[in-house]
Amino acid sequence: MLKKADVQVASATTLQQQFFAGLMWLLLFTCVGAALWLLSFSEVYAEENAMQITMTVGDEQITLQLEDGSATRDWVSRLPMTVDLDNFGNGAEKIFYPSPELDKSDVRRDNTATAGTIAIFEPWGNVAIFLKSNSSAYGLIQLGRIDAAGIKVLQNTSATQATFSK
């Protein structure tokens, strides 16, 4: 048989458990909210610091959104630049070789590539514009992106040269 003191101890224990469970949920929601805020802030910061250049292929123009980094600053400093475009991977990429190679002293390495990704393939030193998604490619240095319309232009062009300009 339970005594009144036992019931009070059990009630106090239940209240403590409920309090700590509520505190844990509050902490979890606070952390998730802070993480989402930081993510949105970083996207806004990246958009504000993005550089835009134009790629002309035949009669078509494509806008490239470049991330800030030593490689993109080096690339932009060399513009205008005309390069020979090569098809690579059965139409999965358009690549070119800047000469000399772009400065890689302050860059973002990320081995993911989706359609529209512009990246340096570090082992070869070439710049690749991905026209199809590739789950991962070891040795990528992220430079920026092109949109779906730009991908379509590059998929349908027979041009072997491109000119990049500010």
Side-chain angles (χ1 to χ4, degrees):
M1 175 170 251
L2 289 176
K3 298 180 186 171
K4 186 176 180 181
D6 292 334
V7 171
Q8 287 176 340
V9 169
S11 295
T13 303
T14 302
L15 286 175
Q16 286 176 338
Q17 290 173 341
Q18 289 174 347
F19 173 78
F20 285 115
L23 190 60
M24 294 305 288
W25 278 110
L26 179 64
L27 182 60
L28 175 68
F29 286 125
T30 302
C31 290
V32 168
L36 290 173
W37 179 81
L38 286 173
L39 180 62
S40 68
F41 177 76
S42 67
E43 288 173 0
V44 167
Y45 177 79
E47 287 175 13
E48 288 176 355
N49 290 306
M51 293 179 267
Q52 284 189 353
I53 63 173
T54 300
M55 176 182 188
T56 304
V57 181
D59 294 334
E60 302 284 340
Q61 291 192 333
I62 302 166
T63 300
L64 285 69
Q65 298 287 336
L66 301 180
E67 297 180 8
D68 187 27
S70 61
T72 54
R73 287 189 299 271
D74 184 18
W75 187 7
V76 170
S77 75
R78 300 180 194 186
L79 299 181
M81 174 192 291
T82 299
V83 299
D84 292 325
L85 281 181
D86 294 319
N87 289 313
F88 187 77
N90 293 322
E93 303 169 32
K94 293 284 189 183
I95 65 170
F96 67 92
Y97 292 85
S99 181
E101 288 187 14
L102 297 173
D103 175 13
K104 297 176 276 202
S105 62
D106 177 27
V107 294
R108 183 172 72 88
R109 288 174 168 78
D110 181 346
N111 293 329
T112 56
T114 59
T117 297
I118 305 167
I120 296 172
F121 181 58
E122 193 167 22
W124 296 351
N126 67 293
V127 173
I129 302 172
F130 288 85
L131 306 178
K132 297 179 181 177
S133 290
N134 183 353
S135 58
S136 68
Y138 176 77
L140 292 182
I141 295 172
Q142 301 293 316
L143 298 177
R145 298 201 51 78
I146 62 171
D147 62 16
I151 293 169
K152 192 165 198 74
V153 167
L154 290 176
Q155 287 173 333
N156 295 323
T157 189
S158 60
T160 59
Q161 285 194 327
T163 300
F164 297 95
S165 58
K166 293 181 188 180

